[in-house]
Amino acid sequence: MTAATLLPTYFLSHGGGPWPWMRDETGTAYDALDASLKDIPGQIGGKPKAVLAVTAHWEGPDFLLSSSSSPGMIYDYGGFPPHTYQIRYGAPGLPELAARAQALLREAGFGAQLDAERGFDHGTFSALYPVFPEADVPVVQLSLKAGLAPLEHLRAGRALAPLRTQGVLIVGSGLSYHNLRAFNARGAEASHAFDGWLRAAMALPPRERTAALMAWESAPAARQAHPREEHLLPLMVALGAAEEEPASVVYHEDDFFGALAVSSFRFGA
């Protein structure tokens, strides 16, 4: 992979908690998601120089970027087996990428700060472990911005687009359905309605697609699928960084957790 390669961007439905380390407990429930994530290196032609991971599990008054060269771990989940609180995903950070992303965001008029203390949360390490299990690709995390405005996150993606030609894989990690109070058969109707709309929106021409996603709250069952939109906003960053390029469904299930419809998308070839 050369530095001038134009990498695609991704929105990944990252699954629940530390699932890659719970295969004995979950059986085959995550097989399709696991396979879709393992396929990413083949899609992009190898390993990127680094990953910029937009995580649904971090918010700040400005955009925040993890800037440690050796990030720690954040076990931001509860009720899981003891061994999942000992997980280590040892990917290095890349302070120079954090600084470059900060500069691009500031040039676009955003406040952007570096955070040398932030470790990897499960939205990052659970999504990236199947992709790069050797943890040998540097990772910088990007937070969401308080207020959760879709347009601000779209604009942030636009600002970060130059990183795609510098060997940086931009990944938005969230979940296309995220209503934890109905994460079972009670959420089936809403998840299928919203996911169907979302996949149809992805097939629209670029300008219509952007307009549809900026107005996502008017989609069928939108607030049933996302009572709070933090797990959808990483999609807006991934879209903004590849706004004129086609979208592809790279993962879809109709019976996630036995009933739910969930999807992941790639923008670009």
Side-chain angles (χ1 to χ4, degrees):
M1 182 182 300
T2 67
T5 299
L6 182 66
L7 288 172
T9 70
Y10 287 84
F11 170 71
L12 303 177
S13 285
H14 63 229
W19 65 267
W21 292 268
M22 294 179 57
R23 302 310 293 272
D24 288 344
E25 292 87 350
T26 61
T28 62
Y30 282 100
D31 282 1
L33 177 58
D34 186 59
S36 74
L37 295 171
K38 287 178 176 176
D39 195 48
I40 289 175
Q43 294 177 23
I44 66 174
K47 292 179 180 177
K49 176 183 176 182
V51 173
L52 181 67
V54 188
T55 171
H57 293 270
W58 189 20
E59 299 174 29
D62 292 323
F63 285 107
L64 304 173
L65 292 137
S66 62
S67 59
S68 171
S69 61
S70 184
M73 299 290 289
I74 299 174
Y75 306 111
D76 53 341
Y77 41 75
F80 288 90
H83 76 270
T84 64
Y85 298 90
Q86 307 298 320
I87 291 165
R88 299 295 303 170
Y89 187 66
L94 192 60
E96 55 264 42
L97 172 57
R100 172 64 175 144
Q102 179 190 41
L104 289 171
L105 289 167
R106 287 181 169 179
E107 288 168 10
F110 290 107
Q113 313 300 329
L114 302 181
D115 186 335
E117 303 300 320
R118 180 73 182 186
F120 296 140
D121 60 58
H122 86 265
T124 296
F125 63 75
S126 289
L128 292 183
Y129 174 74
V131 187
F132 306 115
E134 297 177 359
D136 55 353
V137 176
V139 178
V140 170
Q141 289 183 136
L142 173 66
S143 77
L144 304 180
K145 184 177 182 296
L148 303 181
L151 182 58
E152 287 194 306
H153 291 80
L154 179 82
R155 288 181 51 234
R158 291 170 177 166
L160 295 166
L163 297 176
R164 297 176 58 206
T165 61
Q166 298 166 19
V168 178
L169 181 66
I170 298 174
V171 171
S173 179
L175 202 57
S176 62
Y177 172 85
H178 195 257
N179 183 342
L180 296 183
R181 293 186 176 183
F183 215 74
N184 49 35
R186 290 189 293 119
E189 183 176 353
S191 75
H192 282 76
F194 184 76
D195 195 82
W197 171 86
L198 187 59
R199 285 182 287 125
M202 291 298 171
L204 294 171
R207 288 188 181 182
E208 294 176 35
R209 180 180 64 193
T210 293
L213 290 172
M214 291 303 95
W216 73 272
E217 287 183 271
S218 63
R223 280 300 179 185
Q224 288 80 15
H226 291 279
R228 190 174 187 272
E229 57 265 45
E230 81 282 355
H231 274 69
L232 188 65
L233 268 292
L235 169 63
M236 309 306 178
V237 182
L239 168 67
E243 195 171 3
E244 298 301 317
E245 296 174 53
S248 304
V249 179
V250 293
Y251 162 69
H252 174 73
E253 287 194 72
D254 282 321
D255 58 353
F256 186 65
F257 274 68
L260 305 174
V262 292
S263 297
S264 298
F265 304 96
R266 182 183 70 233
F267 298 95

